[in-house]
Amino acid sequence: EIDVPMYMHYEDPLQNLYIHLEPGRQLLNGEQAEGFVRFRQGYTPEGKFESIPTYTRQKHTNLFLKAFFEQHVNLTNLGRIDELMDVVVKNVRTSVNSTSEIVQYSNVMQKVIRGKYETSSVIVNCPTNQIINGISYEILRTEP
């Protein structure tokens, strides 16, 4: 369950990506959650195509992660780590492959669950972006 902060409508048949989310609190399924965190451009309710800044997309990702952890990462689910890891191994490519690494991360997750952690972010305004070797980079303005 997450409070979708904006109208998110975008379709890309080449990626099989169809995002159709209205603003407001709602329960997202897996496909909708993926669209929520991937949304970077789309149409306004008036039909105008717009892109959103990178920091807004990062804010959405942080909202999702916070909601996910608050709602699903608890001591009961951590007890099912073997079952969850089977699902992850079959569906996710990751650099975390050893059981000892998984145990280390699960210990960190337990500390997060028990503690009160806050996140913060800083918005950096990047006045320009540039395509380099097919990848879009936001160019920071620096002063000597």
Side-chain angles (χ1 to χ4, degrees):
E1 186 174 324
I2 194 160
D3 191 3
V4 176
M6 64 192 309
Y7 184 86
M8 296 180 168
H9 285 260
Y10 177 76
E11 293 188 1
D12 184 348
L14 293 175
Q15 295 184 63
N16 195 27
L17 179 63
Y18 300 91
I19 302 169
H20 297 287
L21 297 172
E22 299 292 322
R25 191 154 199 79
Q26 54 199 289
L27 182 63
L28 303 181
N29 63 29
E31 186 177 323
Q32 291 169 320
E34 178 185 8
F36 179 77
V37 297
R38 289 184 64 189
F39 185 78
R40 68 178 78 194
Q41 60 189 8
Y43 293 92
T44 66
E46 298 77 31
K48 181 181 174 192
F49 188 77
E50 290 184 342
S51 293
I52 62 170
T54 299
Y55 65 83
T56 302
R57 184 174 179 215
Q58 291 167 343
K59 183 177 172 184
H60 293 167
T61 300
N62 289 340
L63 282 172
F64 171 79
L65 289 172
K66 183 177 182 194
F68 181 85
F69 276 95
E70 287 175 350
Q71 296 168 39
H72 297 288
V73 179
N74 54 47
L75 295 178
T76 302
N77 286 341
L78 286 178
R80 300 172 46 208
I81 193 75
D82 291 336
E83 179 184 333
L84 296 172
M85 282 313 302
D86 287 342
V87 172
V88 170
V89 167
K90 290 177 186 172
N91 296 289
V92 177
R93 280 185 297 178
T94 178
S95 61
V96 179
N97 294 313
S98 73
T99 305
S100 64
E101 286 179 299
I102 294 166
V103 169
Q104 287 175 350
Y105 284 117
S106 67
N107 288 334
V108 171
M109 289 186 346
Q110 287 182 30
K111 289 177 184 175
V112 169
I113 292 167
R114 291 185 181 129
K116 298 284 183 186
Y117 291 87
E118 294 183 20
T119 61
S120 64
S121 60
V122 176
I123 296 173
V124 177
N125 192 5
C126 301
T128 60
N129 66 353
Q130 185 176 5
I131 304 292
I132 302 171
N133 295 328
I135 300 172
S136 178
Y137 292 89
E138 294 196 31
I139 309 300
L140 296 174
R141 182 179 54 199
T142 58
E143 297 179 6

